C-alpha cells in the first residue's frame, strides 16, 4: 500500500514531441507528489510538485496531471528537447515519509 | 546558497573494509537523508536524521549506520563492505522531510566501488 508504481521504465521520444511518464499509488493519505529529474553523475533535483487538491500544475514545458479518483499522476514534457534526457522519479509523501517510484530513463532523439 | 555537499566524490574499497561518507546540508536545513542508488536503478532509502536523532531507517542491515552532528552535518558508516554495496550514495537535506514547503535537496553523491 506504500508503493508508488512508475511507468514506463524507459522512454524514447523525438525532439519536439510530448514525453509522458505515469505513476500510480494506493495510499489515499499521500499529500504531496513531487517529480525529480536526475542527470548522469548528479543527484536528483526537484522539477515540479503538486498537492492532491489540485488537478494540474504547469511550469514552463512541464505539467503534472493529477487524478485523485484514479490515484494516478503523470508528468508531461511538452516540446521535448535533447537536454531533457535524464532519469525522472515520481514520489509521494505521507507522514513525513517520501515513497519513490522506480524511475524512468528518458531519451530525447534529435 | 551553497547546496548539499558530499565527500569524497569517489571511493574504492576492498571487501570487508569499513567506509565513512560525509554530508553537509544546506544552511538552515535540519533533516538529512541518505539514499543508495545502485547503477541504473532507483533510490533506496537508507536513513533519516532530524535534529540529531535517527527518525527512520530503510530495509538495510545494521552494518549501515550513521549519525548527525550538532551542526546538522552527517556521516554514513558502512562496515564489513560487500561487493553489492557498490553504488552511488546520495545525501539530501530539507527543513522537514518530504513536505510541500520543504522539498529534498540532493548532493551529487559519493560513488563507492567495492572490489
Amino acid at each position: 500500500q506504500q508503493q508508488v508504481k512508475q511507468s514506463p521504465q524507459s522512454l524514447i521520444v523525438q525532439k519536439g514531441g510530448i514525453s509522458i511518464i505515469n505513476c500510480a499509488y494506493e495510499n489515499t493519505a499521500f499529500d504531496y507528489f513531487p517529480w525529480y529529474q536526475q542527470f548522469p553523475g548528479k543527484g536528483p533535483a526537484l522539477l515540479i510538485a503538486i498537492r492532491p487538491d489540485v488537478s494540474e500544475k504547469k511550469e514552463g514545458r512541464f505539467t503534472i496531471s493529477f487524478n485523485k479518483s484514479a490515484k494516478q499522476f503523470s508528468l508531461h514534457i511538452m516540446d521535448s528537447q535533447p537536454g531533457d534526457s535524464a532519469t525522472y522519479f515520481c514520489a509521494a509523501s505521507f507522514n513525513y515519509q517520501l515513497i519513490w517510484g522506480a524511475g524512468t530513463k528518458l531519451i530525447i532523439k534529435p | 546558497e551553497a547546496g548539499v555537499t558530499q565527500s569524497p566524490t569517489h571511493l574504492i574499497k576492498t571487501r570487508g573494509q569499513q567506509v565513512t561518507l560525509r554530508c553537509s546540508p544546506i544552511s538552515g536545513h535540519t533533516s538529512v537523508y541518505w539514499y543508495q542508488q545502485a547503477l541504473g536503478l532507483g533510490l533506496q532509502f537508507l536513513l533519516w536524521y532530524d535534529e540529531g536523532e535517527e527518525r527512520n531507517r530503510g530495509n538495510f542491515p545494521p552494518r549501515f549506520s550513521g549519525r548527525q552532528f550538532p551542526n546538522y552535518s552527517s556521516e554514513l558508516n558502512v562496515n564489513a563492505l560487500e561487493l553489492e554495496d557498490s553504488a552511488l550514495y546520495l545525501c539530501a537535506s530539507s527543513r522537514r522531510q518530504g513536505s510541500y514547503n520543504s522539498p529534498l535537496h540532493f548532493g551529487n553523491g559519493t560513488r563507492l566501488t567495492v572490489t
Side-chain angles (χ1 to χ4, degrees), chain A residues 32 36 38 41-44 46 49 51 57 89 93 96-98 100 102, chain B residues 35 37 42-43 48 56 88 90 96-100 103-104 106-108:
Chain A
Y32 166 61
Y36 280 76
Q38 184 180 27
K42 302 290 186 182
L46 179 66
R51 283 188 288 207
K57 182 174 181 181
F89 293 96
S93 176
Y96 303 117
Q97 294 190 78
L98 202 55
W100 295 84
Chain B
Y35 286 86
Q37 186 175 33
L43 301 166
W48 170 31
N56 199 8
L88 181 67
L90 291 161
R96 180 66 67 88
Q97 183 186 25
S99 68
Y100 193 82
L104 268 63
F106 283 85
N108 287 328

PDB file of all heavy atoms in Angstrom, chain A residues 32 36 38 41-44 46 49 51 57 89 93 96-98 100 102, chain B residues 35 37 42-43 48 56 88 90 96-100 103-104 106-108:
ATOM      1  N   TYR A  32       1.416  14.843  -0.977  1.00  0.00           N
ATOM      2  CA  TYR A  32       2.392  15.661  -1.706  1.00  0.00           C
ATOM      3  C   TYR A  32       3.045  14.781  -2.743  1.00  0.00           C
ATOM      4  O   TYR A  32       3.461  13.662  -2.432  1.00  0.00           O
ATOM      5  CB  TYR A  32       3.424  16.213  -0.705  1.00  0.00           C
ATOM      6  CG  TYR A  32       4.684  16.805  -1.274  1.00  0.00           C
ATOM      7  CD1 TYR A  32       4.654  17.895  -2.125  1.00  0.00           C
ATOM      8  CD2 TYR A  32       5.930  16.299  -0.904  1.00  0.00           C
ATOM      9  CE1 TYR A  32       5.825  18.451  -2.620  1.00  0.00           C
ATOM     10  CE2 TYR A  32       7.106  16.837  -1.395  1.00  0.00           C
ATOM     11  CZ  TYR A  32       7.050  17.920  -2.243  1.00  0.00           C
ATOM     12  OH  TYR A  32       8.216  18.470  -2.723  1.00  0.00           O
ATOM     13  N   TYR A  36      11.197  14.435  -9.583  1.00  0.00           N
ATOM     14  CA  TYR A  36      12.611  14.802  -9.568  1.00  0.00           C
ATOM     15  C   TYR A  36      13.258  14.391 -10.884  1.00  0.00           C
ATOM     16  O   TYR A  36      12.883  13.382 -11.494  1.00  0.00           O
ATOM     17  CB  TYR A  36      13.333  14.118  -8.402  1.00  0.00           C
ATOM     18  CG  TYR A  36      13.128  14.796  -7.067  1.00  0.00           C
ATOM     19  CD1 TYR A  36      11.938  14.657  -6.374  1.00  0.00           C
ATOM     20  CD2 TYR A  36      14.125  15.600  -6.521  1.00  0.00           C
ATOM     21  CE1 TYR A  36      11.751  15.287  -5.154  1.00  0.00           C
ATOM     22  CE2 TYR A  36      13.946  16.233  -5.307  1.00  0.00           C
ATOM     23  CZ  TYR A  36      12.751  16.070  -4.627  1.00  0.00           C
ATOM     24  OH  TYR A  36      12.570  16.704  -3.428  1.00  0.00           O
ATOM     25  N   GLN A  38      17.027  13.625 -12.714  1.00  0.00           N
ATOM     26  CA  GLN A  38      18.410  13.293 -12.401  1.00  0.00           C
ATOM     27  C   GLN A  38      19.215  13.107 -13.675  1.00  0.00           C
ATOM     28  O   GLN A  38      18.896  12.256 -14.510  1.00  0.00           O
ATOM     29  CB  GLN A  38      18.494  12.016 -11.555  1.00  0.00           C
ATOM     30  CG  GLN A  38      19.919  11.682 -11.117  1.00  0.00           C
ATOM     31  CD  GLN A  38      20.003  10.416 -10.275  1.00  0.00           C
ATOM     32  OE1 GLN A  38      19.177   9.519 -10.395  1.00  0.00           O
ATOM     33  NE2 GLN A  38      21.005  10.333  -9.412  1.00  0.00           N
ATOM     34  N   GLY A  41      25.576  11.250 -13.135  1.00  0.00           N
ATOM     35  CA  GLY A  41      26.630  11.784 -12.275  1.00  0.00           C
ATOM     36  C   GLY A  41      26.176  12.874 -11.330  1.00  0.00           C
ATOM     37  O   GLY A  41      26.999  13.451 -10.601  1.00  0.00           O
ATOM     38  N   LYS A  42      24.891  13.160 -11.314  1.00  0.00           N
ATOM     39  CA  LYS A  42      24.351  14.208 -10.443  1.00  0.00           C
ATOM     40  C   LYS A  42      23.284  13.623  -9.527  1.00  0.00           C
ATOM     41  O   LYS A  42      22.727  12.564  -9.775  1.00  0.00           O
ATOM     42  CB  LYS A  42      23.727  15.333 -11.278  1.00  0.00           C
ATOM     43  CG  LYS A  42      24.678  15.989 -12.249  1.00  0.00           C
ATOM     44  CD  LYS A  42      25.729  16.810 -11.534  1.00  0.00           C
ATOM     45  CE  LYS A  42      26.600  17.577 -12.518  1.00  0.00           C
ATOM     46  NZ  LYS A  42      27.665  18.348 -11.823  1.00  0.00           N
ATOM     47  N   GLY A  43      22.998  14.374  -8.444  1.00  0.00           N
ATOM     48  CA  GLY A  43      21.886  13.987  -7.608  1.00  0.00           C
ATOM     49  C   GLY A  43      20.569  14.446  -8.223  1.00  0.00           C
ATOM     50  O   GLY A  43      20.540  15.353  -9.050  1.00  0.00           O
ATOM     51  N   PRO A  44      19.467  13.825  -7.819  1.00  0.00           N
ATOM     52  CA  PRO A  44      18.149  14.264  -8.315  1.00  0.00           C
ATOM     53  C   PRO A  44      17.874  15.703  -7.877  1.00  0.00           C
ATOM     54  O   PRO A  44      18.327  16.140  -6.810  1.00  0.00           O
ATOM     55  CB  PRO A  44      17.179  13.290  -7.649  1.00  0.00           C
ATOM     56  CG  PRO A  44      17.998  12.118  -7.247  1.00  0.00           C
ATOM     57  CD  PRO A  44      19.354  12.673  -6.924  1.00  0.00           C
ATOM     58  N   LEU A  46      14.576  18.626  -7.660  1.00  0.00           N
ATOM     59  CA  LEU A  46      13.124  18.814  -7.749  1.00  0.00           C
ATOM     60  C   LEU A  46      12.776  19.544  -9.037  1.00  0.00           C
ATOM     61  O   LEU A  46      13.331  20.591  -9.352  1.00  0.00           O
ATOM     62  CB  LEU A  46      12.626  19.618  -6.553  1.00  0.00           C
ATOM     63  CG  LEU A  46      11.131  19.904  -6.536  1.00  0.00           C
ATOM     64  CD1 LEU A  46      10.341  18.607  -6.361  1.00  0.00           C
ATOM     65  CD2 LEU A  46      10.789  20.897  -5.427  1.00  0.00           C
ATOM     66  N   ALA A  49       6.094  19.905  -8.361  1.00  0.00           N
ATOM     67  CA  ALA A  49       5.363  19.137  -7.350  1.00  0.00           C
ATOM     68  C   ALA A  49       3.917  19.609  -7.311  1.00  0.00           C
ATOM     69  O   ALA A  49       3.600  20.735  -7.723  1.00  0.00           O
ATOM     70  CB  ALA A  49       6.018  19.294  -5.984  1.00  0.00           C
ATOM     71  N   ARG A  51      -0.035  19.176  -4.983  1.00  0.00           N
ATOM     72  CA  ARG A  51      -0.812  18.680  -3.853  1.00  0.00           C
ATOM     73  C   ARG A  51      -2.107  18.065  -4.386  1.00  0.00           C
ATOM     74  O   ARG A  51      -2.578  18.444  -5.458  1.00  0.00           O
ATOM     75  CB  ARG A  51      -1.113  19.831  -2.888  1.00  0.00           C
ATOM     76  CG  ARG A  51       0.079  20.197  -2.035  1.00  0.00           C
ATOM     77  CD  ARG A  51      -0.272  21.190  -0.974  1.00  0.00           C
ATOM     78  NE  ARG A  51      -0.505  22.526  -1.547  1.00  0.00           N
ATOM     79  CZ  ARG A  51      -0.320  23.645  -0.863  1.00  0.00           C
ATOM     80  NH1 ARG A  51       0.102  23.598   0.385  1.00  0.00           N
ATOM     81  NH2 ARG A  51      -0.557  24.811  -1.420  1.00  0.00           N
ATOM     82  N   LYS A  57      -0.795  21.142 -12.600  1.00  0.00           N
ATOM     83  CA  LYS A  57       0.143  22.229 -12.315  1.00  0.00           C
ATOM     84  C   LYS A  57       1.126  22.303 -13.465  1.00  0.00           C
ATOM     85  O   LYS A  57       1.656  21.277 -13.895  1.00  0.00           O
ATOM     86  CB  LYS A  57       0.886  21.994 -11.003  1.00  0.00           C
ATOM     87  CG  LYS A  57       1.834  23.149 -10.655  1.00  0.00           C
ATOM     88  CD  LYS A  57       2.439  22.982  -9.299  1.00  0.00           C
ATOM     89  CE  LYS A  57       3.352  24.151  -8.966  1.00  0.00           C
ATOM     90  NZ  LYS A  57       3.987  23.999  -7.646  1.00  0.00           N
ATOM     91  N   PHE A  89      12.043  10.658 -11.575  1.00  0.00           N
ATOM     92  CA  PHE A  89      11.460   9.916 -10.461  1.00  0.00           C
ATOM     93  C   PHE A  89      10.206  10.625  -9.980  1.00  0.00           C
ATOM     94  O   PHE A  89      10.233  11.833  -9.715  1.00  0.00           O
ATOM     95  CB  PHE A  89      12.438   9.818  -9.288  1.00  0.00           C
ATOM     96  CG  PHE A  89      13.653   8.975  -9.554  1.00  0.00           C
ATOM     97  CD1 PHE A  89      14.841   9.569  -9.973  1.00  0.00           C
ATOM     98  CD2 PHE A  89      13.624   7.604  -9.376  1.00  0.00           C
ATOM     99  CE1 PHE A  89      15.974   8.806 -10.218  1.00  0.00           C
ATOM    100  CE2 PHE A  89      14.754   6.824  -9.628  1.00  0.00           C
ATOM    101  CZ  PHE A  89      15.922   7.438 -10.049  1.00  0.00           C
ATOM    102  N   SER A  93       4.349  11.577  -0.682  1.00  0.00           N
ATOM    103  CA  SER A  93       4.711  11.807   0.715  1.00  0.00           C
ATOM    104  C   SER A  93       3.528  11.582   1.639  1.00  0.00           C
ATOM    105  O   SER A  93       2.399  12.005   1.342  1.00  0.00           O
ATOM    106  CB  SER A  93       5.219  13.236   0.891  1.00  0.00           C
ATOM    107  OG  SER A  93       5.486  13.509   2.255  1.00  0.00           O
ATOM    108  N   TYR A  96       5.559  12.487   6.629  1.00  0.00           N
ATOM    109  CA  TYR A  96       6.983  12.814   6.527  1.00  0.00           C
ATOM    110  C   TYR A  96       7.815  11.695   5.927  1.00  0.00           C
ATOM    111  O   TYR A  96       9.019  11.692   6.021  1.00  0.00           O
ATOM    112  CB  TYR A  96       7.555  13.242   7.868  1.00  0.00           C
ATOM    113  CG  TYR A  96       6.820  14.420   8.457  1.00  0.00           C
ATOM    114  CD1 TYR A  96       6.133  14.320   9.649  1.00  0.00           C
ATOM    115  CD2 TYR A  96       6.787  15.633   7.776  1.00  0.00           C
ATOM    116  CE1 TYR A  96       5.448  15.402  10.163  1.00  0.00           C
ATOM    117  CE2 TYR A  96       6.101  16.720   8.287  1.00  0.00           C
ATOM    118  CZ  TYR A  96       5.429  16.596   9.481  1.00  0.00           C
ATOM    119  OH  TYR A  96       4.749  17.665   9.994  1.00  0.00           O
ATOM    120  N   GLN A  97       7.175  10.718   5.295  1.00  0.00           N
ATOM    121  CA  GLN A  97       7.908   9.695   4.558  1.00  0.00           C
ATOM    122  C   GLN A  97       7.702   9.907   3.070  1.00  0.00           C
ATOM    123  O   GLN A  97       6.579  10.109   2.615  1.00  0.00           O
ATOM    124  CB  GLN A  97       7.416   8.296   4.929  1.00  0.00           C
ATOM    125  CG  GLN A  97       7.707   7.902   6.351  1.00  0.00           C
ATOM    126  CD  GLN A  97       7.403   6.433   6.569  1.00  0.00           C
ATOM    127  OE1 GLN A  97       8.177   5.562   6.184  1.00  0.00           O
ATOM    128  NE2 GLN A  97       6.264   6.145   7.161  1.00  0.00           N
ATOM    129  N   LEU A  98       8.794   9.855   2.314  1.00  0.00           N
ATOM    130  CA  LEU A  98       8.739  10.057   0.872  1.00  0.00           C
ATOM    131  C   LEU A  98       8.934   8.693   0.212  1.00  0.00           C
ATOM    132  O   LEU A  98       9.968   8.052   0.397  1.00  0.00           O
ATOM    133  CB  LEU A  98       9.821  11.042   0.448  1.00  0.00           C
ATOM    134  CG  LEU A  98       9.672  11.807  -0.859  1.00  0.00           C
ATOM    135  CD1 LEU A  98       8.344  12.549  -0.902  1.00  0.00           C
ATOM    136  CD2 LEU A  98      10.819  12.774  -1.019  1.00  0.00           C
ATOM    137  N   TRP A 100       9.275   6.550  -3.217  1.00  0.00           N
ATOM    138  CA  TRP A 100       9.755   6.843  -4.562  1.00  0.00           C
ATOM    139  C   TRP A 100       9.287   5.809  -5.586  1.00  0.00           C
ATOM    140  O   TRP A 100       9.208   4.611  -5.285  1.00  0.00           O
ATOM    141  CB  TRP A 100      11.285   6.868  -4.578  1.00  0.00           C
ATOM    142  CG  TRP A 100      11.875   7.976  -3.770  1.00  0.00           C
ATOM    143  CD1 TRP A 100      12.120   7.962  -2.427  1.00  0.00           C
ATOM    144  CD2 TRP A 100      12.279   9.253  -4.244  1.00  0.00           C
ATOM    145  NE1 TRP A 100      12.653   9.167  -2.033  1.00  0.00           N
ATOM    146  CE2 TRP A 100      12.764   9.979  -3.126  1.00  0.00           C
ATOM    147  CE3 TRP A 100      12.284   9.870  -5.496  1.00  0.00           C
ATOM    148  CZ2 TRP A 100      13.248  11.288  -3.239  1.00  0.00           C
ATOM    149  CZ3 TRP A 100      12.777  11.156  -5.601  1.00  0.00           C
ATOM    150  CH2 TRP A 100      13.249  11.855  -4.483  1.00  0.00           C
ATOM    151  N   ALA A 102      10.206   3.899  -9.247  1.00  0.00           N
ATOM    152  CA  ALA A 102      11.439   3.229  -9.653  1.00  0.00           C
ATOM    153  C   ALA A 102      12.256   4.014 -10.667  1.00  0.00           C
ATOM    154  O   ALA A 102      13.413   3.669 -10.924  1.00  0.00           O
ATOM    155  CB  ALA A 102      11.118   1.844 -10.200  1.00  0.00           C
TER     156      ALA A 102
ATOM    157  N   TYR B  35      20.479   7.947   0.812  1.00  0.00           N
ATOM    158  CA  TYR B  35      19.908   7.011  -0.149  1.00  0.00           C
ATOM    159  C   TYR B  35      21.041   6.245  -0.832  1.00  0.00           C
ATOM    160  O   TYR B  35      22.142   6.780  -1.042  1.00  0.00           O
ATOM    161  CB  TYR B  35      19.113   7.745  -1.231  1.00  0.00           C
ATOM    162  CG  TYR B  35      17.781   8.287  -0.782  1.00  0.00           C
ATOM    163  CD1 TYR B  35      17.679   9.545  -0.186  1.00  0.00           C
ATOM    164  CD2 TYR B  35      16.615   7.543  -0.955  1.00  0.00           C
ATOM    165  CE1 TYR B  35      16.454  10.044   0.222  1.00  0.00           C
ATOM    166  CE2 TYR B  35      15.383   8.040  -0.551  1.00  0.00           C
ATOM    167  CZ  TYR B  35      15.315   9.290   0.034  1.00  0.00           C
ATOM    168  OH  TYR B  35      14.096   9.787   0.437  1.00  0.00           O
ATOM    169  N   GLN B  37      21.860   4.296  -4.420  1.00  0.00           N
ATOM    170  CA  GLN B  37      21.403   4.149  -5.799  1.00  0.00           C
ATOM    171  C   GLN B  37      22.395   3.268  -6.541  1.00  0.00           C
ATOM    172  O   GLN B  37      23.478   3.709  -6.923  1.00  0.00           O
ATOM    173  CB  GLN B  37      21.271   5.508  -6.488  1.00  0.00           C
ATOM    174  CG  GLN B  37      20.647   5.397  -7.875  1.00  0.00           C
ATOM    175  CD  GLN B  37      20.413   6.753  -8.520  1.00  0.00           C
ATOM    176  OE1 GLN B  37      21.170   7.705  -8.324  1.00  0.00           O
ATOM    177  NE2 GLN B  37      19.343   6.863  -9.291  1.00  0.00           N
ATOM    178  N   GLY B  42      16.881   2.514  -8.975  1.00  0.00           N
ATOM    179  CA  GLY B  42      16.189   3.573  -8.273  1.00  0.00           C
ATOM    180  C   GLY B  42      16.841   3.951  -6.965  1.00  0.00           C
ATOM    181  O   GLY B  42      17.932   3.507  -6.621  1.00  0.00           O
ATOM    182  N   LEU B  43      16.137   4.796  -6.234  1.00  0.00           N
ATOM    183  CA  LEU B  43      16.622   5.327  -4.967  1.00  0.00           C
ATOM    184  C   LEU B  43      16.124   4.455  -3.822  1.00  0.00           C
ATOM    185  O   LEU B  43      14.917   4.307  -3.638  1.00  0.00           O
ATOM    186  CB  LEU B  43      16.119   6.758  -4.781  1.00  0.00           C
ATOM    187  CG  LEU B  43      16.523   7.753  -5.863  1.00  0.00           C
ATOM    188  CD1 LEU B  43      15.693   9.022  -5.757  1.00  0.00           C
ATOM    189  CD2 LEU B  43      18.004   8.083  -5.746  1.00  0.00           C
ATOM    190  N   TRP B  48      17.159   8.501   7.880  1.00  0.00           N
ATOM    191  CA  TRP B  48      16.717   9.877   8.019  1.00  0.00           C
ATOM    192  C   TRP B  48      17.112  10.367   9.407  1.00  0.00           C
ATOM    193  O   TRP B  48      16.785   9.738  10.400  1.00  0.00           O
ATOM    194  CB  TRP B  48      15.205   9.976   7.823  1.00  0.00           C
ATOM    195  CG  TRP B  48      14.604  11.318   8.186  1.00  0.00           C
ATOM    196  CD1 TRP B  48      15.188  12.547   8.095  1.00  0.00           C
ATOM    197  CD2 TRP B  48      13.294  11.541   8.699  1.00  0.00           C
ATOM    198  NE1 TRP B  48      14.333  13.517   8.505  1.00  0.00           N
ATOM    199  CE2 TRP B  48      13.156  12.941   8.880  1.00  0.00           C
ATOM    200  CE3 TRP B  48      12.209  10.716   9.003  1.00  0.00           C
ATOM    201  CZ2 TRP B  48      11.990  13.513   9.360  1.00  0.00           C
ATOM    202  CZ3 TRP B  48      11.044  11.295   9.475  1.00  0.00           C
ATOM    203  CH2 TRP B  48      10.935  12.668   9.655  1.00  0.00           C
ATOM    204  N   ASN B  56      14.069   7.534  11.040  1.00  0.00           N
ATOM    205  CA  ASN B  56      13.546   6.416  10.270  1.00  0.00           C
ATOM    206  C   ASN B  56      14.717   5.701   9.608  1.00  0.00           C
ATOM    207  O   ASN B  56      15.776   6.294   9.375  1.00  0.00           O
ATOM    208  CB  ASN B  56      12.553   6.903   9.206  1.00  0.00           C
ATOM    209  CG  ASN B  56      11.664   5.783   8.704  1.00  0.00           C
ATOM    210  OD1 ASN B  56      11.665   4.674   9.239  1.00  0.00           O
ATOM    211  ND2 ASN B  56      10.890   6.056   7.665  1.00  0.00           N
ATOM    212  N   LEU B  88      26.052   4.492  -5.826  1.00  0.00           N
ATOM    213  CA  LEU B  88      26.127   5.929  -5.572  1.00  0.00           C
ATOM    214  C   LEU B  88      25.344   6.195  -4.286  1.00  0.00           C
ATOM    215  O   LEU B  88      24.183   5.820  -4.182  1.00  0.00           O
ATOM    216  CB  LEU B  88      25.511   6.704  -6.745  1.00  0.00           C
ATOM    217  CG  LEU B  88      25.523   8.226  -6.639  1.00  0.00           C
ATOM    218  CD1 LEU B  88      26.954   8.757  -6.705  1.00  0.00           C
ATOM    219  CD2 LEU B  88      24.668   8.843  -7.745  1.00  0.00           C
ATOM    220  N   LEU B  90      23.721   8.881  -1.983  1.00  0.00           N
ATOM    221  CA  LEU B  90      23.223  10.252  -2.085  1.00  0.00           C
ATOM    222  C   LEU B  90      22.763  10.749  -0.731  1.00  0.00           C
ATOM    223  O   LEU B  90      22.103  10.032   0.018  1.00  0.00           O
ATOM    224  CB  LEU B  90      22.053  10.316  -3.069  1.00  0.00           C
ATOM    225  CG  LEU B  90      22.398  10.094  -4.535  1.00  0.00           C
ATOM    226  CD1 LEU B  90      21.157   9.723  -5.335  1.00  0.00           C
ATOM    227  CD2 LEU B  90      23.046  11.339  -5.126  1.00  0.00           C
ATOM    228  N   ARG B  96      12.125  19.864   6.587  1.00  0.00           N
ATOM    229  CA  ARG B  96      11.319  18.766   7.130  1.00  0.00           C
ATOM    230  C   ARG B  96      11.046  17.835   5.982  1.00  0.00           C
ATOM    231  O   ARG B  96      10.724  18.275   4.896  1.00  0.00           O
ATOM    232  CB  ARG B  96      10.018  19.304   7.709  1.00  0.00           C
ATOM    233  CG  ARG B  96       9.095  18.259   8.311  1.00  0.00           C
ATOM    234  CD  ARG B  96       9.680  17.588   9.549  1.00  0.00           C
ATOM    235  NE  ARG B  96       9.796  18.505  10.654  1.00  0.00           N
ATOM    236  CZ  ARG B  96       8.815  18.724  11.522  1.00  0.00           C
ATOM    237  NH1 ARG B  96       7.664  18.089  11.397  1.00  0.00           N
ATOM    238  NH2 ARG B  96       9.006  19.556  12.509  1.00  0.00           N
ATOM    239  N   GLN B  97      11.156  16.520   6.174  1.00  0.00           N
ATOM    240  CA  GLN B  97      11.127  15.580   5.066  1.00  0.00           C
ATOM    241  C   GLN B  97       9.861  15.622   4.246  1.00  0.00           C
ATOM    242  O   GLN B  97       8.772  15.506   4.768  1.00  0.00           O
ATOM    243  CB  GLN B  97      11.319  14.147   5.546  1.00  0.00           C
ATOM    244  CG  GLN B  97      11.365  13.157   4.365  1.00  0.00           C
ATOM    245  CD  GLN B  97      11.408  11.724   4.779  1.00  0.00           C
ATOM    246  OE1 GLN B  97      10.957  11.388   5.848  1.00  0.00           O
ATOM    247  NE2 GLN B  97      11.933  10.866   3.945  1.00  0.00           N
ATOM    248  N   GLY B  98      10.067  15.795   2.951  1.00  0.00           N
ATOM    249  CA  GLY B  98       9.018  15.461   2.006  1.00  0.00           C
ATOM    250  C   GLY B  98       7.791  16.340   2.022  1.00  0.00           C
ATOM    251  O   GLY B  98       6.806  16.019   1.408  1.00  0.00           O
ATOM    252  N   SER B  99       7.819  17.447   2.741  1.00  0.00           N
ATOM    253  CA  SER B  99       6.610  18.256   2.766  1.00  0.00           C
ATOM    254  C   SER B  99       6.611  19.221   1.586  1.00  0.00           C
ATOM    255  O   SER B  99       7.634  19.501   0.980  1.00  0.00           O
ATOM    256  CB  SER B  99       6.509  19.035   4.069  1.00  0.00           C
ATOM    257  OG  SER B  99       7.519  20.029   4.118  1.00  0.00           O
ATOM    258  N   TYR B 100       5.453  19.744   1.271  1.00  0.00           N
ATOM    259  CA  TYR B 100       5.316  20.611   0.110  1.00  0.00           C
ATOM    260  C   TYR B 100       6.199  21.836   0.220  1.00  0.00           C
ATOM    261  O   TYR B 100       6.766  22.308  -0.758  1.00  0.00           O
ATOM    262  CB  TYR B 100       3.849  21.034  -0.043  1.00  0.00           C
ATOM    263  CG  TYR B 100       3.570  21.658  -1.384  1.00  0.00           C
ATOM    264  CD1 TYR B 100       3.336  20.862  -2.505  1.00  0.00           C
ATOM    265  CD2 TYR B 100       3.552  23.037  -1.543  1.00  0.00           C
ATOM    266  CE1 TYR B 100       3.082  21.413  -3.740  1.00  0.00           C
ATOM    267  CE2 TYR B 100       3.299  23.603  -2.785  1.00  0.00           C
ATOM    268  CZ  TYR B 100       3.062  22.791  -3.875  1.00  0.00           C
ATOM    269  OH  TYR B 100       2.824  23.343  -5.103  1.00  0.00           O
ATOM    270  N   PRO B 103      11.012  20.739   0.148  1.00  0.00           N
ATOM    271  CA  PRO B 103      11.444  19.612  -0.675  1.00  0.00           C
ATOM    272  C   PRO B 103      12.857  19.159  -0.329  1.00  0.00           C
ATOM    273  O   PRO B 103      13.612  19.891   0.308  1.00  0.00           O
ATOM    274  CB  PRO B 103      11.392  20.178  -2.089  1.00  0.00           C
ATOM    275  CG  PRO B 103      11.591  21.643  -1.909  1.00  0.00           C
ATOM    276  CD  PRO B 103      10.915  21.980  -0.611  1.00  0.00           C
ATOM    277  N   LEU B 104      13.190  17.952  -0.768  1.00  0.00           N
ATOM    278  CA  LEU B 104      14.537  17.442  -0.576  1.00  0.00           C
ATOM    279  C   LEU B 104      15.492  18.069  -1.592  1.00  0.00           C
ATOM    280  O   LEU B 104      15.163  18.203  -2.771  1.00  0.00           O
ATOM    281  CB  LEU B 104      14.563  15.924  -0.756  1.00  0.00           C
ATOM    282  CG  LEU B 104      14.362  15.078   0.502  1.00  0.00           C
ATOM    283  CD1 LEU B 104      13.000  15.318   1.099  1.00  0.00           C
ATOM    284  CD2 LEU B 104      14.583  13.610   0.199  1.00  0.00           C
ATOM    285  N   PHE B 106      19.290  17.383  -3.015  1.00  0.00           N
ATOM    286  CA  PHE B 106      20.295  16.329  -3.043  1.00  0.00           C
ATOM    287  C   PHE B 106      21.687  16.875  -3.356  1.00  0.00           C
ATOM    288  O   PHE B 106      21.844  17.840  -4.108  1.00  0.00           O
ATOM    289  CB  PHE B 106      19.952  15.297  -4.130  1.00  0.00           C
ATOM    290  CG  PHE B 106      18.854  14.348  -3.758  1.00  0.00           C
ATOM    291  CD1 PHE B 106      17.530  14.693  -3.940  1.00  0.00           C
ATOM    292  CD2 PHE B 106      19.161  13.101  -3.218  1.00  0.00           C
ATOM    293  CE1 PHE B 106      16.511  13.820  -3.599  1.00  0.00           C
ATOM    294  CE2 PHE B 106      18.149  12.214  -2.877  1.00  0.00           C
ATOM    295  CZ  PHE B 106      16.824  12.573  -3.072  1.00  0.00           C
ATOM    296  N   GLY B 107      22.688  16.198  -2.785  1.00  0.00           N
ATOM    297  CA  GLY B 107      24.053  16.385  -3.236  1.00  0.00           C
ATOM    298  C   GLY B 107      24.305  15.529  -4.465  1.00  0.00           C
ATOM    299  O   GLY B 107      23.395  14.828  -4.941  1.00  0.00           O
ATOM    300  N   ASN B 108      25.530  15.574  -4.977  1.00  0.00           N
ATOM    301  CA  ASN B 108      25.850  14.803  -6.180  1.00  0.00           C
ATOM    302  C   ASN B 108      26.385  13.411  -5.857  1.00  0.00           C
ATOM    303  O   ASN B 108      26.738  12.664  -6.775  1.00  0.00           O
ATOM    304  CB  ASN B 108      26.843  15.563  -7.045  1.00  0.00           C
ATOM    305  CG  ASN B 108      26.187  16.748  -7.737  1.00  0.00           C
ATOM    306  OD1 ASN B 108      25.005  16.693  -8.062  1.00  0.00           O
ATOM    307  ND2 ASN B 108      26.935  17.806  -7.936  1.00  0.00           N
TER     308      ASN B 108
END
